[in-house]
Amino acid sequence: MIQAEIADLSKKYGKEVVINDLNLRINKGEVLAVVGPSGCGKTTLLQIIAGLTGAEKGSVVLAGRTLLSVERNISVLPEKRKIAMVFQNYALWPHYNVWQNISYALRVRGVEKSKCEKIVKETMEMVRLEGKQKRYPHELSGGEQQRVALARALVIRPDLLLFDESLSNLDAKMKEKMLREIKKIQQELRLTIVHVTHDQHEAMGMADRIAVMNKGRIEQVGVVEEVYKYPVTQFVAGFIGTANFISGSSDDITESKLWRRAVRAAGNENEIQEKEKLLSVRPEDVIIKREKGEIIGTVAKAIYRGNAIDYEIMAGKRLLYVRTGTRNLYELGAEVSIDMVRAVAIKCN
Amino acid sequence: MKLRKGKERSQGPLFISGPVILIVLGLVLYPLLMLFLFSLGINLHDPNITGAYYLQALSDIKTMVALKNTLYVAGGVTAVAILLGGGLAWLVARTDIPHKRLIEIIVFLTFTIPSYILAVAWIQLLGRNGFINRLLYEKWQFIAEPLDIYSLEGIILVMALHSFPLVFMALVSALKMNDKTLEMAARLAGASRMKALFTVTLPLMLPNILSVGLLVFQQTMACFGVAAVIGLPTSNYVLTTRIYSAMSRLDLPSAASTSMILLLCSGVVFCLYNYSLRSKRYININSQSRKAEPVSLGSWKMPMFIGVFLLLSVTTIIPLGSVVATSFLKSWGLSLRFENMTINNYLTIFGGQTIAFRAFFNSITFAFIAATVTAIIGTIISYLSTRTTIKGRKYLEFVATWPLTVPGTVLAVAAVLAWINAPLRIYGTPWILLITYIVACLPFGVRNINGLLQGMDPLLEDAARVSGASWLRTFKDITLPLITPGIKAGWITAFLLVLREIPISILLYSAGAETIGVLLYSMRSDTGGLETVSAVAVILIVLIVAGNVLIGKFGKPRKEATNDPS
């Protein structure tokens, strides 16, 4: 079931196009991560959904209600949208204590006091902030501030919850923990979440589906595994995970050998030869061996990751990213043969 | 911070901007425009009068002398204030001189004494029959000729003593913020302490010194009270007093053209000052840098402190003591004995039907209204300029802060020209005073609030909107509480400014609407009443100190105001 639908959305700042004819559907009860590099328009997208900024074209429909339709001249005020947002810097009100911050949305709506108290108490338990009611934002740790921001967004049980780079200020361990907790709460309350981030790991940690955004457009939407395994464009392949791009149009001998090998790994040889000029190969799909082989390279760099080793292999004139297990170690300068087990044809951009 | 450009974004009721723009243009721009037109000889109401008032003024040797004197005084004051304030700042910020807090408090106290009162106090000390001359010249015959306060150097002395705290405070904070590791690096590179001071610390401080120097220069040029009380008796004119005497001769053309000359000088210096503020940050201010070990004064520690204390005694304690003592005397001239003391001077201010009471009442009323109006307009202008996208909002802010560069004397002349003709004739009524006070105060309202609004993350307001609060509710719940410190600080600054204001008061007051400024100005005539006036001065100083302490309390960066999670 579709909870929200964004159609034909365009937004300009002056002459600069920030959102370019964007379409996106959000299913009820899912976490959709919108990832993209900074400046790709993802924060603007959230602001348009929340009603904090307008658009030149397009519409936003949430739970059957049209929130924005430029064509029909509809623009629901942000306070009437039943959308909640967790901001990047949390935007906690410094002059309100934790209780006042969290209860604000209920108080503004004139919710009866006893009911308000009950909801705030429940929510504070949910985000594990018990006993912190009287604290002021500056008296809280970064993680606690994050929880207050989350609780503040949860109290109204929003139709749509927006995360704007909300976890980027936490350290890696804390981020992991928060992701798990948020996921749990999301499933409990069956919330619909749009999570905007530039961090692919953060996106994968919580999302059911990922939308990869670039230059104001959504390049690909799909479940996490699908987007990783079958990227449709060069941008998506490079942004989600690491990829080696191999082109068929090179004159270099090693490059042509790589290309032929990759085509075989991709299957459907004829089709690719005809239509596409670029293949994407994930580092873990490149195999290196000491035995002599058809394609030869030398180890240019090795980074020990603990559970894996990342190599950069000089093959002809190019570097190839390779990820291997820790069983076989190759010293710098070692000559290795290169093989590939999987490749995907992508659109060049 | 992201800049919002969405024109469709609901910005709250913008209808309020219309009246505010009208008020600002009417009160600030219209009088200055009238002044400009009049000085060119263009008179809307009497087209017959045309002429080159400028040629007249510029060919008048007296104007040129006044201009020269103005620059001489301003330059002298700047030099003395920088030497005095800078030296003291270095001692407090970088050496192990004892009782730093005490020194800072006394300097701050000096800052709070209105320059005019300081001038009168110095006349009491350095006049021909003043205390110091009686000791040094008559009693001890220490000097061949009595010192003469009634000179340009006298003006420089008083204004420098009034201005050096500004330099001191600016440089102490700059020295404290300055990255101390730079000095350490110089020491490690082999420089001696003095060498490091002159090759690293001082050059790094130069932009700060330049900035505050320009500010002192501009303020001295704009100063009227001191120049009047010390300069006028011996016809040592500066531009402000020259304008004043032209006004008292009802020579409007001369007053207008001289005003324009002063406005131009002051404006140029102020622009330089603003430019220096913007361009001076070439040092990386590293707040995490370690505290440098203070320079040890060794055996010079106590003598140095005693020297500083004596100096501050001369600049602050003695003049202040003189005013306080006079305020308790039954009559000026009596010796300081207990039987000559009284508190009647204070009682008359609060009880009687005297002019002192009336002046006090009037000034407080004016100050209260002007401060309140300023706070309201300032809030609206700041909000329009930082939170909306309406066209010309930056110009509005610029016009509202413009009076900062306009000396009070010039504001008064402009007000006379603007409000003397029907149907806008309010000259001769208390309204013209009130309006001109508001104009003079407006920049402080705007600046104090603007600073807070600019530093406040607009996301805080967005968060309230998303939480379900309307624009009005957001303003009331979020914006207003967070800018309240700025509003209060602006209000107090404006209130105190009106209380001690002199040139606007004496040029625009009408009978019955006397103000403290008018009363203080009558202090220079030594004919009686000096005790009462001293009492007024003491109350004024107490109010100013209290107000500044309150501003300090509000102005402190509140910890909760910085919501940076990192």
Side-chain angles (χ1 to χ4, degrees):
Chain A
M1 201 181 139
I2 290 164
Q3 174 75 350
E5 175 154 19
I6 295 149
D8 307 325
L9 199 67
S10 288
K11 166 83 178 173
K12 283 182 205 160
Y13 282 147
K15 286 212 172 117
E16 186 195 352
V17 180
V18 189
I19 305 281
N20 189 0
D21 223 6
L22 182 144
N23 288 281
L24 188 63
R25 283 177 178 180
I26 302 147
N27 297 324
K28 194 171 171 68
E30 77 167 345
V31 179
L32 175 73
V34 176
V35 291
S38 50
C40 73
K42 53 196 194 301
T43 292
T44 307
L45 174 64
L46 277 201
Q47 285 178 340
I48 295 172
I49 298 175
L52 296 170
T53 188
E56 264 81 45
K57 188 161 113 26
S59 63
V60 176
V61 177
L62 175 64
R65 187 161 70 118
T66 302
L67 298 183
L68 175 77
S69 168
V70 179
E71 287 70 31
R72 280 155 59 202
N73 204 16
I74 296 173
S75 178
V76 177
L77 288 171
E79 60 264 32
K80 308 277 185 213
R81 292 196 174 194
K82 222 178 166 227
I83 288 176
M85 188 159 172
V86 180
F87 294 87
Q88 176 171 21
N89 61 357
Y90 315 142
L92 299 181
W93 300 302
H95 60 304
Y96 282 164
N97 63 25
V98 169
W99 195 89
Q100 289 167 319
N101 260 288
I102 297 176
S103 63
Y104 186 78
L106 298 173
R107 287 185 286 136
V108 164
R109 286 174 168 76
V111 174
E112 185 198 335
K113 200 160 183 236
S114 59
K115 198 178 163 200
C116 171
E117 298 236 358
K118 188 174 154 275
I119 298 174
V120 173
K121 195 163 170 285
E122 262 175 36
T123 314
M124 285 185 69
E125 276 165 20
M126 210 181 287
V127 300
R128 301 205 273 122
L129 270 173
E130 304 97 320
K132 300 265 198 274
Q133 290 92 317
K134 294 267 181 279
R135 300 283 189 85
Y136 281 87
H138 70 271
E139 298 169 325
L140 301 173
S141 69
E144 286 168 335
Q145 289 181 358
Q146 161 80 56
R147 285 159 200 274
V148 176
L150 180 62
R152 187 172 72 177
L154 290 176
V155 285
I156 59 161
R157 304 292 186 264
D159 288 340
L160 183 62
L161 179 53
L162 307 174
F163 281 79
D164 184 9
E165 303 263 7
S166 313
L167 298 166
S168 58
N169 286 319
L170 299 177
D171 62 67
K173 277 259 152 67
M174 195 69 187
K175 197 184 272 186
E176 279 296 311
K177 207 172 140 206
M178 278 310 290
L179 283 171
R180 274 199 299 276
E181 284 183 36
I182 296 170
K183 185 77 193 171
K184 198 169 143 257
I185 294 168
Q186 182 258 336
Q187 281 166 341
E188 244 168 65
L189 301 178
R190 267 174 289 165
L191 292 165
T192 310
I193 294 179
V194 173
H195 177 194
V196 153
T197 175
H198 65 269
D199 179 347
Q200 46 160 327
H201 299 293
E202 195 183 308
M204 290 172 174
M206 191 163 74
D208 301 304
R209 290 196 304 152
I210 284 188
V212 183
M213 200 168 164
N214 185 31
K215 292 178 186 158
R217 287 173 186 275
I218 303 283
E219 295 226 341
Q220 189 174 3
V221 196
V223 294
V224 180
E225 197 188 335
E226 178 192 313
V227 173
Y228 185 80
K229 277 191 161 169
Y230 306 103
V232 292
T233 65
Q234 185 180 7
F235 176 80
V236 174
F239 193 78
I240 303 292
T242 314
N244 296 298
F245 297 113
I246 298 163
S247 146
S249 57
S250 172
D251 302 334
D252 187 66
I253 303 167
T254 317
E255 193 69 13
S256 324
K257 283 184 186 167
L258 282 170
W259 167 254
R260 280 196 296 277
R261 183 67 198 90
V263 169
R264 252 185 293 138
N268 305 350
E269 287 173 42
N270 299 332
E271 202 179 315
I272 292 163
Q273 293 281 28
E274 302 285 320
K275 278 204 274 177
E276 309 287 349
K277 284 281 179 235
L278 205 62
L279 285 164
S280 159
V281 184
R282 295 290 183 194
E284 63 270 26
D285 294 332
V286 183
I287 311 288
I288 49 175
K289 288 181 190 140
R290 275 201 203 278
E291 293 96 77
K292 283 260 182 274
E294 189 191 350
I295 313 164
I296 302 293
T298 50
V299 177
K301 198 173 175 184
I303 303 163
Y304 189 73
R305 300 278 185 201
N307 55 354
I309 302 174
D310 287 338
Y311 289 104
E312 286 176 21
I313 307 291
M314 198 69 194
K317 285 175 189 158
R318 63 125 71 209
L319 275 176
L320 214 52
Y321 300 101
V322 181
R323 168 164 283 207
T324 71
T326 50
R327 289 235 170 91
N328 300 311
L329 298 171
Y330 303 94
E331 67 281 10
L332 290 182
E335 205 164 81
V336 289
S337 66
I338 299 164
D339 199 6
M340 280 173 258
V341 294
R342 219 183 78 83
V344 188
I346 51 169
K347 243 189 282 170
C348 205
N349 60 345
Chain B
M1 196 185 302
K2 277 164 208 122
L3 207 66
R4 285 284 152 60
K5 294 179 202 157
K7 56 176 180 284
E8 317 84 345
R9 181 169 185 250
S10 76
Q11 297 171 333
L14 289 177
F15 62 85
I16 194 117
S17 56
V20 167
I21 291 168
L22 218 61
I23 289 174
V24 170
L25 294 185
L27 295 192
V28 181
L29 226 45
Y30 166 66
L32 288 170
L33 188 70
M34 288 304 282
L35 173 68
F36 178 62
L37 291 180
F38 187 88
S39 73
L40 286 177
I42 304 165
N43 189 334
L44 298 176
H45 301 277
D46 185 2
N48 291 328
I49 302 178
T50 53
Y53 296 150
Y54 286 106
L55 279 180
Q56 223 172 9
L58 288 171
S59 61
D60 187 345
I61 187 75
K62 281 187 187 156
T63 312
M64 297 321 287
V65 169
L67 178 61
K68 204 189 85 204
N69 287 349
T70 303
L71 296 177
Y72 171 64
V73 168
V77 168
T78 308
V80 177
I82 284 176
L83 281 179
L84 204 57
L88 219 50
W90 182 74
L91 281 174
V92 166
R94 280 299 168 82
T95 71
D96 60 350
I97 195 165
H99 306 298
K100 290 181 179 180
R101 193 74 201 122
L102 182 72
I103 296 173
E104 279 183 318
I105 288 172
I106 298 176
V107 174
F108 175 71
L109 209 59
T110 317
F111 183 62
T112 62
I113 305 173
S115 59
Y116 185 80
I117 294 173
L118 199 65
V120 173
W122 273 96
I123 291 171
Q124 290 174 1
L125 294 171
L126 265 189
R128 242 160 220 275
N129 290 316
F131 182 65
I132 293 177
N133 269 337
R134 269 190 268 170
L135 272 186
L136 293 184
Y137 177 66
E138 288 170 23
K139 203 163 178 188
W140 297 339
Q141 311 215 314
F142 206 68
I143 41 178
E145 256 180 80
L147 295 169
D148 186 14
I149 183 86
Y150 292 106
S151 59
L152 290 177
E153 290 72 25
I155 301 176
I156 292 179
L157 170 77
V158 173
M159 279 307 288
L161 291 184
H162 173 72
S163 303
F164 88 89
L166 205 62
V167 180
F168 173 82
M169 291 189 283
L171 293 189
V172 164
S173 62
L175 277 167
K176 278 181 179 167
M177 280 209 296
N178 188 9
D179 190 349
K180 280 131 193 136
T181 48
L182 296 174
E183 207 173 290
M184 286 184 206
R187 296 294 304 284
L188 287 175
S192 70
R193 230 171 219 148
M194 278 299 138
K195 188 99 182 164
L197 172 68
F198 282 103
T199 55
V200 176
T201 314
L202 213 55
L204 283 175
M205 281 295 107
L206 216 53
N208 298 72
I209 295 172
L210 185 72
S211 269
V212 74
L214 285 166
L215 187 66
V216 168
F217 195 91
Q218 192 261 343
Q219 291 199 342
T220 309
M221 281 204 299
C223 169
F224 168 77
V226 177
V229 73
I230 294 176
L232 281 184
T234 48
S235 297
N236 279 313
Y237 285 106
V238 292
L239 287 174
T240 51
T241 49
R242 176 113 183 107
I243 296 166
Y244 171 73
S245 71
M247 284 303 278
S248 25
R249 291 195 312 272
L250 294 176
D251 182 0
L252 281 178
S254 166
S257 52
T258 316
S259 288
M260 286 305 296
I261 295 171
L262 177 57
L263 190 57
L264 186 71
C265 296
S266 167
V268 166
V269 178
F270 195 83
C271 285
L272 287 175
Y273 164 69
N274 256 346
Y275 177 75
S276 74
L277 278 188
R278 242 170 272 153
S279 57
K280 80 175 175 186
R281 304 256 167 259
Y282 66 82
I283 355 169
N284 245 339
I285 289 163
N286 185 357
S287 56
Q288 285 159 357
S289 69
R290 288 191 294 152
K291 244 192 141 122
E293 197 185 319
V295 177
S296 172
L297 295 172
S299 56
W300 280 94
K301 213 159 129 180
M302 269 336 267
M304 208 64 159
F305 173 69
I306 292 167
V308 167
F309 190 77
L310 282 178
L311 180 77
L312 292 175
S313 303
V314 173
T315 63
T316 311
I317 301 169
I318 294 173
L320 206 56
S322 162
V323 173
V324 173
T326 310
S327 78
F328 284 105
L329 275 180
K330 278 181 181 151
S331 172
W332 164 240
L334 291 176
S335 56
L336 283 171
R337 289 209 202 100
F338 188 71
E339 60 266 28
N340 291 337
M341 304 297 251
T342 177
I343 56 161
N344 276 338
N345 300 327
Y346 289 90
L347 294 181
T348 47
I349 295 171
F350 293 112
Q353 287 301 311
T354 57
I355 182 176
F357 173 77
R358 201 162 65 228
F360 224 83
F361 178 81
N362 285 339
S363 273
I364 299 235
T365 312
F366 281 134
F368 189 88
I369 300 173
T372 307
V373 172
T374 302
I376 295 169
I377 300 181
T379 306
I380 297 170
I381 291 174
S382 304
Y383 192 88
L384 290 176
S385 117
T386 58
R387 286 296 189 274
T388 71
T389 51
I390 60 165
K391 273 214 174 91
R393 59 193 189 282
K394 292 290 165 196
Y395 293 106
L396 183 69
E397 187 193 327
F398 173 77
V399 171
T401 51
W402 193 15
L404 212 55
T405 73
V406 185
T409 322
V410 177
L411 279 181
V413 174
V416 169
L417 291 169
W419 310 113
I420 201 166
N421 289 308
L424 297 171
R425 188 187 168 92
I426 53 168
Y427 179 71
T429 70
W431 290 103
I432 192 170
L433 259 185
L434 186 61
I435 281 183
T436 313
Y437 285 149
I438 291 173
V439 171
C441 293
L442 207 49
F444 299 99
V446 174
R447 287 213 156 182
N448 275 300
I449 300 162
N450 225 351
L452 280 180
L453 265 178
Q454 270 171 355
M456 180 179 150
D457 192 342
L459 287 182
L460 293 177
E461 286 146 314
D462 286 354
R465 294 300 295 277
V466 173
S467 292
S470 63
W471 175 85
L472 197 65
R473 183 81 193 250
T474 302
F475 185 77
K476 182 184 138 268
D477 286 349
I478 311 297
T479 319
L480 204 55
L482 291 176
I483 61 171
T484 299
I487 297 175
K488 283 181 178 164
W491 193 94
I492 293 172
T493 310
F495 188 81
L496 296 177
L497 186 95
V498 173
L499 279 194
R500 66 173 166 213
E501 205 290 325
I502 288 180
I504 295 174
S505 303
I506 60 168
L507 283 170
L508 298 180
Y509 86 98
S510 47
E514 295 90 352
T515 64
I516 293 179
V518 176
L519 190 70
L520 287 175
Y521 193 67
S522 70
M523 208 176 184
R524 72 205 174 103
S525 51
D526 289 346
T527 55
L530 200 53
E531 322 79 50
T532 323
V533 175
S534 295
V536 172
V538 171
I539 295 173
L540 197 54
I541 291 171
V542 170
L543 282 176
I544 292 170
V545 171
N548 276 303
V549 170
L550 280 177
I551 293 175
K553 204 180 114 201
F554 300 135
K556 253 182 215 156
R558 295 204 307 169
K559 217 182 161 195
E560 63 262 45
T562 51
N563 192 22
D564 190 16
S566 53

